[in-house]
Amino acid sequence: MTDQATAPEANNQGIPGKPTSASRTTLSHIMTHNDTNLLGTVHGGVIMKLVDDAAGAVAGRHSGGPAVTASMDEMAFLEPVRVGDLVHVKAQVNWTGRTSMEVGVRVLAERWNESAPPTHVGSAYLVFAAVDADGTPRRVPPVLPETDRDRRRYQEAQIRRTHRLARRRAILELREKRTAEGFTE
């Protein structure tokens, strides 16, 4: 194969790559009444915190030190989560750049007292920046996709990155144009 997903080590020459499985993790938490919103289901913010916690652990493991949330590309809530659900938040590094990495997160929920298979209730993509003790960005090891699924995730992450950068560029160009036209806000 010659696609970019097979050669991520080009991102950070000199730093040995790490396989996707090296930092993959699952965080599990049982939902209680303290986690509910006004509708009686688990508040989306509670799920988002679990997502950020799991993604942060993965980013720190992969980068070998502190990593901070730079952005959340997408958070899709697919099904409601209820009190008594055991929530499993599965996270892995999908892609790495020079100092940043995309972490993909899948959220599953199952009734704590039933043996039915878990339901996919949410997904998210977060971008983390590795930082040193002073908060300065530091280089991260390339991620080495191990399976076809990992390679697909790597390629999809590259597409999301391209879209993020294009969106940022378009917004900056619009702001510059409006400033040149005399608009201040």
Side-chain angles (χ1 to χ4, degrees):
M1 284 181 150
T2 59
D3 66 326
Q4 292 181 19
T6 60
E9 58 279 350
N11 290 340
N12 275 324
Q13 291 184 353
I15 298 178
K18 289 186 177 180
T20 306
S21 62
S23 57
R24 190 178 288 143
T25 194
T26 300
L27 171 74
S28 296
H29 189 79
I30 193 158
M31 298 292 107
T32 69
H33 287 285
N34 292 334
D35 301 318
T36 60
N37 59 25
L38 296 174
L39 297 174
T41 57
V42 173
H43 196 289
V46 171
I47 301 298
M48 290 174 74
K49 181 175 184 335
L50 294 173
V51 163
D52 192 45
D53 287 347
V58 166
R61 279 181 175 181
H62 182 81
S63 68
V68 296
T69 311
S71 70
M72 180 179 275
D73 238 18
E74 182 179 321
M75 177 73 218
F77 296 99
L78 306 172
E79 298 283 336
V81 177
R82 295 181 167 70
V83 170
D85 281 354
L86 182 57
V87 172
H88 308 285
V89 184
K90 298 176 176 283
Q92 75 172 50
V93 174
N94 289 336
W95 175 90
T96 53
R98 193 174 56 79
T99 62
S100 65
M101 59 209 114
E102 183 196 90
V103 178
V105 181
R106 183 176 177 92
V107 183
L108 304 166
E110 61 181 315
R111 296 307 296 170
W112 69 273
N113 60 349
E114 296 177 8
S115 59
T119 301
H120 182 198
V121 296
S123 293
Y125 300 100
L126 298 88
V127 177
F128 279 79
V131 295
D132 63 18
D134 298 322
T136 304
R138 61 183 175 79
R139 290 177 55 180
V140 299
V143 66
L144 304 174
E146 299 172 279
T147 67
D148 286 340
R149 178 180 283 179
D150 293 342
R151 285 184 280 281
R152 175 187 53 80
R153 288 178 176 163
Y154 186 92
Q155 291 169 325
E156 290 172 358
Q158 288 178 308
I159 293 168
R160 284 186 290 276
R161 180 175 187 273
T162 299
H163 286 246
R164 274 193 309 276
L165 294 175
R167 182 178 60 233
R168 182 183 310 157
R169 202 169 27 255
I171 289 170
L172 290 175
E173 288 171 3
L174 176 63
R175 288 179 182 171
E176 288 174 9
K177 178 182 173 195
R178 291 186 51 81
T179 299
E181 293 172 350
F183 294 99
T184 58
E185 289 188 15

